């Protein structure tokens, strides 16, 4: 079936460095993607989204890149801080408004 | 704005009992709410879509008679886990959609409810 998945289950990053989290999707018809951050014991928090008519979108310290040719999505976090430690999910939003989440990447920020 | 709450935040119950979890949109009307389940170290899995005033739509493999969903108003949806068993222990998360938001289909998530069945 269609799926959205991540390459790396755990990412250890030194404070101040940039983080890159990757995500692969299989449904070439997908046209809307969202990145979420989930802290332990909490619900997902919206970070940034991107539509398929774009290949890059920037927010505050975050950038999402979309490569439709290889069906790949990435989230870049600049100057990673301890507060960025969390699990990050990419999600694919279908035409019915339902989200399909990827497996998630645990980001651990070390001092 | 766009705050979603859940109650309770955690619950412990005995096997065989039923547990009700509430999901409320506090400052907006949500025609659609979604219920997810998340096991430890795993992703969120959509259980069902709840539309105000109509029956919920369940994802494949989710027992509708076990997970009763009621969406009686534009600000409240409830999930009742009936005859709960230890394997139902999980983190249950709801989300609500407002069509008046700046982003299409943006889902606002609740803080989750930790269910432990003994």
């Amino acid at each position: 079936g269609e799926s959205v998945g991540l390459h790396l289950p755990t990412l250890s990053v030194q404070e101040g460095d940039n983080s890159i989290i990757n995500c692969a999707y299989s449904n070439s018809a997908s046209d809307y993607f969202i990145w979420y951050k989930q802290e332990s014991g909490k619900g997902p928090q919206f970070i940034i989204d991107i539509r398929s008519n774009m290949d890059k979108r920037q927010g505050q310290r975050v950038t999402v890149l979309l490569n439709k040719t290889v069906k790949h999505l990435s989230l870049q976090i600049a100057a990673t801080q301890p507060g960025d430690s969390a699990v990050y999910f990419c999600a694919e939003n279908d035409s019915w408004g339902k989200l399909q989440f990827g497996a998630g990447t645990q980001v651990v920020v070390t001092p | 704005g766009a705050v979603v709450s859940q109650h309770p935040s955690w619950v412990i119950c005995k096997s065989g009992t039923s547990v009700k979890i509430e999901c409320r949109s506090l400052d907006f009307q949500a025609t659609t709410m979604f219920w997810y389940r998340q096991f430890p170290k795993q992703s969120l899995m959509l259980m069902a879509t709840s539309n105000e005033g109509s029956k919920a739509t369940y994802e494949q493999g989710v027992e509708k008679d076990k997970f009763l969903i009621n969406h009686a108003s534009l600000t409240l949806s409830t999930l009742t886990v009936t005859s709960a068993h230890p394997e139902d222990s999980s983190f249950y998360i709801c989300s609500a959609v407002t069509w008046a938001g700046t982003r299409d289909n943006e889902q606002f998530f609740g803080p989750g409810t930790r269910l432990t069945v003994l």
Side-chain angles (χ1 to χ4, degrees):
Chain A
E2 306 295 355
S3 65
V4 181
L6 295 176
H7 294 299
L8 298 172
T10 304
L11 179 65
S12 184
V13 181
Q14 195 160 14
E15 183 177 355
D17 287 351
N18 296 334
S19 303
I20 299 177
I21 306 165
N22 296 302
C23 177
Y25 64 95
S26 57
N27 185 357
S28 57
S30 298
D31 63 358
Y32 183 46
F33 305 89
I34 308 166
W35 280 100
Y36 289 94
K37 173 186 179 183
Q38 186 181 29
E39 297 176 319
S40 181
K42 297 183 179 180
Q45 175 186 356
F46 175 95
I47 300 175
I48 193 168
D49 59 358
I50 189 167
R51 292 201 174 274
S52 59
N53 60 352
M54 304 174 70
D55 52 20
K56 180 179 180 179
R57 191 157 188 233
Q58 289 185 293
Q60 187 175 9
R61 283 201 306 119
V62 294
T63 301
V64 54
L65 299 178
L66 175 63
N67 186 329
K68 294 180 287 294
T69 302
V70 295
K71 291 183 284 188
H72 183 268
L73 196 67
S74 69
L75 177 70
Q76 300 177 4
I77 305 174
T80 311
Q81 303 169 359
D84 295 326
S85 292
V87 178
Y88 290 80
F89 294 97
C90 63
E92 174 184 3
N93 193 324
D94 71 15
S95 57
W96 299 100
K98 294 197 291 187
L99 290 174
Q100 184 173 354
F101 283 81
T105 293
Q106 174 78 58
V107 172
V108 178
V109 182
T110 58
Chain B
V3 177
V4 176
S5 70
Q6 284 184 238
H7 178 80
S9 56
W10 61 269
V11 57
I12 301 173
C13 70
K14 293 182 178 180
S15 185
T17 61
S18 296
V19 175
K20 180 185 284 188
I21 303 170
E22 293 184 349
C23 177
R24 293 182 184 272
S25 56
L26 298 185
D27 50 2
F28 66 98
Q29 293 186 330
T31 54
T32 301
M33 290 183 173
F34 298 92
W35 286 96
Y36 296 84
R37 179 168 53 182
Q38 185 179 32
F39 293 109
K41 305 295 184 183
Q42 295 188 23
S43 187
L44 283 76
M45 296 300 295
L46 179 65
M47 298 176 67
T49 303
S50 171
N51 292 299
E52 186 267 336
S54 63
K55 290 183 178 180
T57 304
Y58 291 82
E59 295 299 301
Q60 190 172 8
V62 178
E63 300 175 59
K64 61 181 180 181
D65 294 331
K66 180 170 183 61
F67 299 100
L68 301 179
I69 293 173
N70 183 282
H71 193 159
S73 77
L74 287 172
T75 60
L76 174 64
S77 177
T78 60
L79 169 68
T80 301
V81 183
T82 62
S83 186
H85 292 284
E87 57 265 30
D88 298 321
S89 297
S90 189
F91 194 49
Y92 292 86
I93 306 170
C94 72
S95 71
V97 175
T98 172
W99 303 106
T102 57
R103 287 180 285 265
D104 291 344
N105 303 339
E106 180 176 4
Q107 292 187 28
F108 298 95
F109 285 85
T113 296
R114 174 74 59 192
L115 170 63
T116 302
V117 184
L118 302 178

